[in-house]
Amino acid sequence: MSMLIQYLLLSAASLLVAAAHSNSVSTLNYTISNPHLPRTPKFVSSSKKFEGSSNLVNLRYHMGPVLSSPINIYLIWYGNWAPSQQLLIRDFLLSISPTPNRRPPSVSDWWRTVTLYTDQTGANISRSILIAGEHSDHLYSHGHHLTRLSIQQVIATAPFPVDHKKGIYLVLTATDVTVQDFCRAVCGFHYFTFPSVVGYTLPYAWVGNSGKQCPEVCAYPFAVPGYMGGGGPGALRPPNGDVGVDGMISVIGHELAEVSSNPLVNAWYAGEDPTAPTEIGDLCEGLYGTGGGGGYIGQVMKDRGGRSYNLRGRRGRKFLVQWIWSPTLKACAGPNALD
């Protein structure tokens, strides 16, 4: 996720001459637009079909495991969360598994790109994701500031079983919790727990609610940097009316895709340094639809209320989630592609 910060900095110069504009196409219930926003992705393609494609990307498999068994997510709500916020995140997670009659483009269609990744036996990442357990730590038992190490301590004290093969332990921090490097270098991250802290080696991820701390960084594109003043492009309206949590949804999707394809940091990534890998979400940071790149997020849908989205989920939910690098197309891809 540190690439997100880099993109905002790289795009600052172009914002001095860029004005807000978008081309919209009317449909029955929504419009399709490609807003110009403050982000220049690292990999920009001349291809009109799959933005982000590049012959320079050397994403390789390093022989480690992927999460090929049905995935169990163990949710830790750290701090105070509104029930409506928890329900929104649950709905996203429960939209990942395929369900009959789900309207496209769906969250499960988006996850299908993730499932193209395999391990050395040829087993694909699972299409099935279940919330296997939840724990609320509204007492802030490890304080209002967490480090990468204390996040593991949060996991160690949660009343969950040890799930080596299928588990992802997902820590979500509330708006009043500060986290090491949050807003400055990361919006979320994944790694594995240390036996010396947790007792076992388990894949985990953390994502923070940036709504009150740095929405212009971690809830992009629902907030834009202050340096744009009044002359730059405006932020998009979040599909569920919550800038912080709607912004978290894309980060959660990003981290789940990466922890599933690189759970022990020895499977799918680009680069030579496994401690700072470029992973399948990093390669498509800031791309949400066809035509993305150069400050454009890509063509996304806008409903009659002006709320932007590119995926549909359970119970009529709508989400805006970044694209993922496809190992078959060698490019960023998503189910809302228009060509």
Side-chain angles (χ1 to χ4, degrees), residues 130-152:
L130 170 72
I131 298 177
E134 297 186 47
H135 172 64
S136 294
D137 191 342
H138 59 276
L139 298 177
Y140 302 83
S141 61
H142 296 268
H144 281 74
H145 175 75
L146 299 178
T147 64
R148 290 177 180 253
L149 193 60
S150 63
I151 287 174
Q152 294 196 30

Side-chain angles (χ1 to χ4, degrees), residues 28 42 55 78 153 159 176 191 211 222 309:
L28 291 177
K42 183 176 181 181
N55 293 328
Y78 192 87
Q153 294 168 345
D176 58 347
Y191 207 61
F222 305 127
Y309 66 100

Side-chain angles (χ1 to χ4, degrees), residues 28-288:
L28 291 177
N29 298 310
Y30 55 86
T31 59
I32 296 173
S33 63
N34 187 1
H36 188 269
L37 291 173
R39 178 74 57 80
T40 302
K42 183 176 181 181
F43 299 99
V44 180
S45 170
S46 59
S47 165
K48 294 181 179 179
K49 188 170 184 180
F50 299 107
E51 295 300 332
S53 62
S54 172
N55 293 328
L56 301 177
V57 175
N58 186 23
L59 184 71
R60 294 189 297 114
Y61 176 55
H62 296 79
M63 304 306 290
V66 301
L67 297 185
S68 57
S69 298
I71 297 169
N72 292 330
I73 293 183
Y74 298 92
L75 268 173
I76 299 176
W77 306 96
Y78 192 87
N80 288 316
W81 288 85
S84 60
Q85 294 177 321
Q86 294 176 314
L87 182 59
L88 175 55
I89 292 174
R90 287 191 199 102
D91 279 344
F92 172 71
L93 295 174
L94 295 174
S95 296
I96 295 176
S97 296
T99 302
N101 304 318
R102 187 67 53 80
R103 287 187 64 193
S106 68
V107 176
S108 57
D109 292 335
W110 170 84
W111 186 258
R112 187 177 290 117
T113 299
V114 180
T115 67
L116 295 174
Y117 290 88
T118 63
D119 63 16
Q120 57 186 308
T121 71
N124 295 78
I125 292 174
S126 176
R127 294 198 65 188
S128 174
I129 288 187
L130 170 72
I131 298 177
E134 297 186 47
H135 172 64
S136 294
D137 191 342
H138 59 276
L139 298 177
Y140 302 83
S141 61
H142 296 268
H144 281 74
H145 175 75
L146 299 178
T147 64
R148 290 177 180 253
L149 193 60
S150 63
I151 287 174
Q152 294 196 30
Q153 294 168 345
V154 169
I155 296 170
T157 56
F160 291 142
V162 175
D163 194 343
H164 291 283
K165 188 174 181 180
K166 301 181 179 181
I168 296 176
Y169 297 79
L170 179 58
V171 181
L172 305 176
T173 50
T175 54
D176 58 347
V177 179
T178 59
V179 176
Q180 178 184 354
D181 294 328
F182 187 30
C183 297
R184 184 185 64 82
V186 295
C187 300
F189 63 78
H190 76 90
Y191 207 61
F192 53 84
T193 60
F194 302 149
S196 60
V197 178
V198 178
Y200 305 91
T201 300
L202 304 170
Y204 78 95
W206 158 80
V207 178
N209 186 337
S210 67
K212 294 182 179 179
Q213 296 185 48
C214 59
E216 71 284 356
V217 175
C218 292
Y220 170 92
F222 305 127
V224 295
Y227 58 73
M228 292 174 57
L236 303 186
R237 289 191 62 188
N240 300 285
D242 190 318
V243 168
V245 178
D246 274 307
M248 286 183 76
I249 295 295
S250 188
V251 184
I252 290 171
H254 175 122
E255 298 302 335
L256 288 181
E258 293 185 341
V259 73
S260 298
S261 58
N262 197 25
L264 300 181
V265 200
N266 61 357
W268 288 95
Y269 64 88
E272 300 303 322
D273 184 0
T275 65
T278 299
E279 300 173 280
I280 67 173
D282 298 324
L283 292 169
C284 303
E285 188 71 61
L287 295 175
Y288 298 82

